[in-house]
Amino acid sequence: MPLNRRKFLKKSAVTGAGVAVAGAAAAPAAQAAEARQPVGRPKRYSFTVMGTTDLHGNVFNWDYFTDREFDDKAHNDVGLAKISTLVTRIREEKGRGNTLLIDAGDTIQGTQLSYYYAKVDPITAKGGPVHPMAQAMNAIGYDAAALGNHEFNYGIPVLRKFQEQCRFPLLGANALDAKTLRPAFPPYSMHCLRTPFGRDVRVAVLGLTNPGIAIWDKANVQGKMTFPGLEEQAAKWVPKLRSMGADVVIVSAHSGSSGTSSYGDQLPYIENAAGLVAEQVPGIDAILVGHAHTEIPEYFVTNKETGKQVVLSEPLKWGQRLTLFDFELVWGKGRWTVEKVGARVLNSNTVEEDPRIVKLLGDEHEKVVGYVNQVIGTNVAEMTSVEAPYKDVPIIDLINHIQADTVRQALAGTEYAALPVLSQAAAFSRSAVIPAGQVTIRDVAGLYVFENTLEARLMTGAQMKAYLEYSANYYVQTAADAVVDPAKLTNANGTPDYNYDVVSGLTYEIDIAKAAGSRVSNVRFEGAPLADDRQFVFAVNNYRANGGGNFPYVAAAKLLWSNSDEIRNTMIAWVKAKGSIDPAEFASVDWKLTRDGTPVF
């Protein structure tokens, strides 16, 4: 149900009155403490706000796709069980009453643990389970969390059930009901911290989510919710929070700090706007940044209007880091003022998992381990994605083969049945493996780690050439006589692996010695040069079809068919139905990297 703003503000006012009464009852003690302070010495109070972001369903330091403890090259650890230990230590050090714990979104999607309780044993079922992320965050004692864009991946009913199960508010000042344009979630939460003297410190947390939700999860939110820009909504709410008596205003923003967008001009709002919010909206003391999956221990932005420094911090994804905002306040002229605030991050690999969380969710973990290890078929020869970013490898061909096959079957008997089907896929993980022999759910799911769904769009040969050219921006320009280091060849200008698409059904070459925009050549269909006016059905995931990555033409292309099931479920069902995978049936080298016509590999 959409939030009734009048009722919400009335409830907030009542809550505030209760706090005021509690403060008044303690006034004699506070006055006595104040009287004991040496004359002339300013009254000060310090507190710490802890923050996480982009937890993506990670409770334990476990990788369900590899069926072992998580590890990476930097030996990071992940999960709320580790974060819980860090949080406990900070609370012991600072005093529980002098801390807050918040999150910046993307909580309920990302691991097979979170998938299981959204789809396999859904929390929305009658008498269904409590989501493991809700259980863990409740047990740790979160005070507030902003909505992330991935909160909407499973549909609004799952999100609403998760919201109901959380003992802390999910905030989204720019998540509005599409009909009333009123907040569909609480815009903010207000927290009172008791001090030894003077009145309590009122800390407001404003939650902002990502406007890209309108594109990436169009199927789930269109006509139901709308997502205006972060700067616009921050400018609306921050003055209100100050007028309500907030001494400190913290923004929890599921939005990166860079000022960039991955969906071009399809929306008039900026995806990564946290830095712009700090720069343009006065009255903010700190911003917990999310969404970008980067680590920013401490970053200061100067507000253009006030000249004040606003501190930003983004802890690394999946519970790898915990941000600490340390505030120092001074009392004067009847109010608390922020004198100093800094930020730092703690590494979760320095502590053990909290036994409370391990015990609390051990059964859920074992259920999911059992689920992902179910055998669904066999494979003739091992396939890996290690070289997928720069070579045409069978494991990516498998994705495209299944997608194209699915679309052909869906369009059989329609006016588009005779058109050839092309398909796109990306290397979502460089560590995916489908082993020879028995194949499990986790093997297939590990190849497609996102909850994308499949669509069919109508494209022309000219549009496909432009699509391939845009995708080739992924490569770093490398001279014909230079040594090629695969580790330095990809991700030009920060382009993530998931925004490099290969297309099956065509053959083509990418000349990495040439500048971006003029790399793709010799594009052929069935052995002949690709005609610009040739029509194709394009099997494409909904993220890309809705504008994710800002690839040309596809978002505006005619929609011929769409599927509500995740692509990875389609892949799992395909393997189950076939019983076996044989790369000889679908693998071929259709694209290659070249320099002056000479293959790189």
Side-chain angles (χ1 to χ4, degrees):
M1 294 291 290
L3 180 72
N4 184 306
R5 185 170 176 271
R6 182 175 296 174
K7 289 182 179 179
F8 178 78
L9 292 176
K10 183 177 179 182
K11 182 179 179 182
S12 297
V14 170
T15 304
V19 170
V21 169
Q31 290 169 358
E34 184 175 351
R36 290 194 294 271
Q37 297 299 315
V39 177
R41 178 179 297 179
K43 303 172 182 66
R44 301 184 185 280
Y45 175 67
S46 300
F47 70 97
T48 296
V49 177
M50 298 172 282
T52 55
T53 191
D54 296 280
L55 292 168
H56 283 289
N58 285 281
V59 172
F60 300 112
N61 188 45
W62 190 261
D63 186 339
Y64 292 95
F65 295 130
T66 61
D67 203 28
R68 58 178 180 263
E69 276 198 7
F70 175 88
D71 194 25
D72 62 13
K73 291 180 180 178
H75 301 298
N76 288 302
D77 287 348
V78 301
L80 277 169
K82 293 260 183 174
I83 290 295
S84 182
T85 302
L86 290 174
V87 167
T88 297
R89 288 188 178 182
I90 296 302
R91 285 172 174 164
E92 289 174 350
E93 176 187 335
K94 307 285 185 179
R96 175 68 182 258
N98 301 318
T99 64
L100 294 171
L101 175 60
I102 63 176
D103 183 80
D106 275 6
T107 303
I108 60 172
Q109 173 277 338
T111 64
Q112 286 292 284
L113 180 72
S114 54
Y115 177 82
Y116 185 89
Y117 287 98
K119 292 289 189 177
V120 182
D121 185 11
I123 61 174
T124 49
K126 186 176 181 180
V130 177
H131 199 289
M133 294 300 287
Q135 291 192 59
M137 294 174 82
N138 288 340
I140 295 169
Y142 274 77
D143 294 289
L147 293 165
N149 54 284
H150 284 289
E151 259 66 84
F152 294 84
N153 285 174
Y154 298 118
I156 292 174
V158 170
L159 175 54
R160 288 300 190 192
K161 188 63 178 181
F162 176 71
Q163 180 187 24
E164 177 187 313
Q165 293 176 342
C166 291
R167 294 199 295 266
F168 52 90
L170 299 182
L171 308 177
N174 62 327
L176 309 182
D177 180 271
K179 294 179 180 178
T180 66
L181 298 183
R182 293 172 177 169
F185 293 84
Y188 68 90
S189 58
M190 190 74 77
H191 310 268
C192 289
L193 302 179
R194 184 62 57 90
T195 70
F197 39 77
R199 64 167 171 78
D200 295 348
V201 171
R202 298 187 182 97
V203 181
V205 179
L206 178 67
L208 296 170
T209 192
N210 204 289
I213 295 165
I215 289 177
W216 305 320
D217 269 300
K218 182 188 295 183
N220 291 327
V221 301
Q222 190 170 35
K224 300 174 184 177
M225 293 185 191
T226 185
F227 303 88
L230 282 82
E231 308 100 303
E232 168 193 324
Q233 293 300 301
K236 173 182 176 179
W237 283 100
V238 171
K240 290 184 179 182
L241 297 175
R242 290 293 184 181
S243 69
M244 291 168 62
D247 302 296
V248 179
V249 174
I250 300 168
V251 174
S252 183
H254 193 76
S255 180
S257 63
S258 65
T260 60
S261 288
S262 66
Y263 45 78
D265 58 2
Q266 296 173 65
L267 277 181
Y269 309 120
I270 294 174
E271 176 184 351
N272 296 304
L276 295 174
V277 171
E279 182 181 82
Q280 297 177 12
V281 181
I284 298 170
D285 296 296
I287 301 180
L288 177 65
V289 178
H291 183 63
H293 289 202
T294 58
E295 182 177 348
I296 305 173
E298 182 181 61
Y299 173 51
F300 287 97
V301 173
T302 302
N303 184 267
K304 284 186 174 180
E305 183 174 326
T306 64
K308 177 183 174 182
Q309 294 280 290
V310 182
V311 65
L312 284 69
S313 180
E314 180 177 3
L316 200 57
K317 64 186 185 297
W318 305 345
Q320 296 180 51
R321 304 288 187 273
L322 176 70
T323 277
L324 303 182
F325 291 108
D326 293 311
F327 286 85
E328 294 181 17
L329 276 61
V330 62
W331 175 265
K333 297 182 180 179
R335 66 189 184 96
W336 289 106
T337 303
V338 175
E339 186 176 56
K340 183 181 178 183
V341 56
R344 54 196 168 107
V345 295
L346 302 181
N347 195 328
S348 65
N349 71 7
T350 61
V351 296
E352 298 298 318
E353 292 185 326
D354 187 337
R356 288 188 311 131
I357 307 302
V358 173
K359 182 178 180 181
L360 178 68
L361 292 165
D363 289 344
E364 286 83 347
H365 171 71
E366 291 302 323
K367 278 185 183 179
V368 176
V369 168
Y371 164 73
V372 299
N373 281 290
Q374 293 178 43
V375 175
I376 57 173
T378 60
N379 181 29
V380 172
E382 180 182 270
M383 298 181 289
T384 78
S385 63
V386 173
E387 296 181 319
Y390 49 89
K391 287 185 181 180
D392 189 344
V393 295
I395 201 167
I396 304 301
D397 292 339
L398 175 62
I399 300 174
N400 277 326
H401 179 68
I402 294 172
Q403 289 182 164
D405 191 38
T406 301
V407 167
R408 284 192 197 96
Q409 292 182 42
L411 295 179
T414 73
E415 61 180 300
Y416 302 104
L419 289 180
V421 179
L422 309 180
S423 179
Q424 61 79 223
F428 296 125
S429 167
R430 295 194 183 201
S431 59
V433 178
I434 297 183
Q438 291 187 332
V439 177
T440 65
I441 285 176
R442 69 176 173 84
D443 295 326
V444 178
L447 178 57
Y448 212 110
V449 299
F450 294 107
E451 279 75 25
N452 294 339
T453 58
L454 187 60
E455 297 187 8
R457 300 275 178 145
L458 186 64
M459 298 277 280
T460 67
Q463 290 172 337
M464 290 309 307
K465 289 176 185 176
Y467 191 99
L468 293 172
E469 192 65 69
Y470 182 87
S471 188
N473 293 341
Y474 173 71
Y475 292 105
V476 175
Q477 187 173 5
T478 308
D481 58 351
V483 175
V484 175
D485 180 357
K488 299 177 181 178
L489 181 61
T490 61
N491 307 100
N493 299 312
T495 303
D497 291 344
Y498 62 75
N499 274 345
Y500 172 62
D501 286 357
V502 300
V503 174
S504 71
L506 302 173
T507 60
Y508 56 97
E509 297 176 6
I510 301 173
D511 191 331
I512 60 172
K514 293 184 177 179
S518 59
R519 291 173 170 172
V520 176
S521 65
N522 200 24
V523 184
R524 293 176 173 268
F525 173 66
E526 294 182 341
L530 178 62
D532 286 350
D533 60 353
R534 188 68 159 92
Q535 285 193 316
F536 296 94
V537 174
F538 190 33
V540 59
N541 69 54
N542 69 304
Y543 172 77
R544 186 72 74 239
N546 289 335
N550 199 29
F551 277 63
Y553 296 113
V554 65
K558 184 177 181 179
L559 175 65
L560 307 180
W561 171 85
S562 65
N563 190 11
S564 61
D565 203 12
E566 290 94 348
I567 291 170
R568 69 173 164 212
N569 277 348
T570 300
M571 294 172 61
I572 290 167
W574 187 90
V575 174
K576 281 183 177 180
K578 288 274 292 182
S580 65
I581 302 171
D582 184 355
E585 296 178 0
F586 55 81
S588 61
V589 178
D590 297 326
W591 66 273
K592 57 188 175 183
L593 301 184
T594 64
R595 289 186 295 183
D596 294 340
T598 303
V600 176
F601 299 105

